[in-house]
Amino acid sequence: MVIEITDSNFNDIVIKSDKELVMVDFWASWCGPCRQLAPAFEDASNDFNDRILSCKINIDENPIAPSKYGVRGLPTILFFRNGQVIGSQIGALPKNKLYEKIQNFF
């Protein structure tokens, strides 16, 4: 399950999470590559849901978090562990490559 988050609940959901890995997709509705990545992100959320928390944040509606974490290109996925960024992925990628990236964190 993918959770839609906002600037106001980012800290409570992402930073304070007790999951092994938190995956945050920074996206926008006008972004073609974001729409291309969405199905793979959703699949990963479902397939790894026992170990990861998957979140999406719309950068047009929530400008604070993208600015704080230096998001410059879309889509950007940031991977968090214990409230710290431990990795990133900028741009869309195929499902198998996303899964490889996730598995590298375990």
Side-chain angles (χ1 to χ4, degrees):
M1 178 174 95
V2 176
I3 300 171
E4 292 281 341
I5 60 173
T6 64
D7 281 335
S8 62
N9 65 14
F10 190 97
N11 193 54
D12 288 337
I13 294 175
V14 176
I15 303 305
K16 294 180 180 177
S17 175
D18 59 358
K19 285 283 193 173
E20 277 186 76
L21 185 68
V22 180
M23 182 170 69
V24 181
D25 179 15
F26 293 82
W27 70 284
S29 59
W30 47 264
C31 169
C34 296
R35 290 191 301 274
Q36 181 184 2
L37 176 65
F41 190 85
E42 182 78 32
D43 287 348
S45 174
N46 293 330
D47 291 342
F48 291 95
N49 76 354
D50 57 330
R51 299 184 80 184
I52 67 173
L53 175 65
S54 301
C55 305
K56 291 178 76 83
I57 185 166
N58 183 313
I59 65 150
D60 290 330
E61 298 168 2
N62 302 282
I64 296 170
S67 177
K68 179 178 180 178
Y69 291 99
V71 173
R72 301 278 182 253
L74 296 179
T76 292
I77 300 173
L78 294 182
F79 298 91
F80 291 81
R81 178 172 288 133
N82 300 322
Q84 300 295 317
V85 176
I86 60 167
S88 64
Q89 169 60 46
I90 301 170
L93 70 169
K95 180 178 171 177
N96 66 322
K97 295 295 184 189
L98 177 59
Y99 278 47
E100 285 177 21
K101 190 136 190 129
I102 293 167
Q103 289 167 333
N104 285 335
F105 292 113
F106 297 113

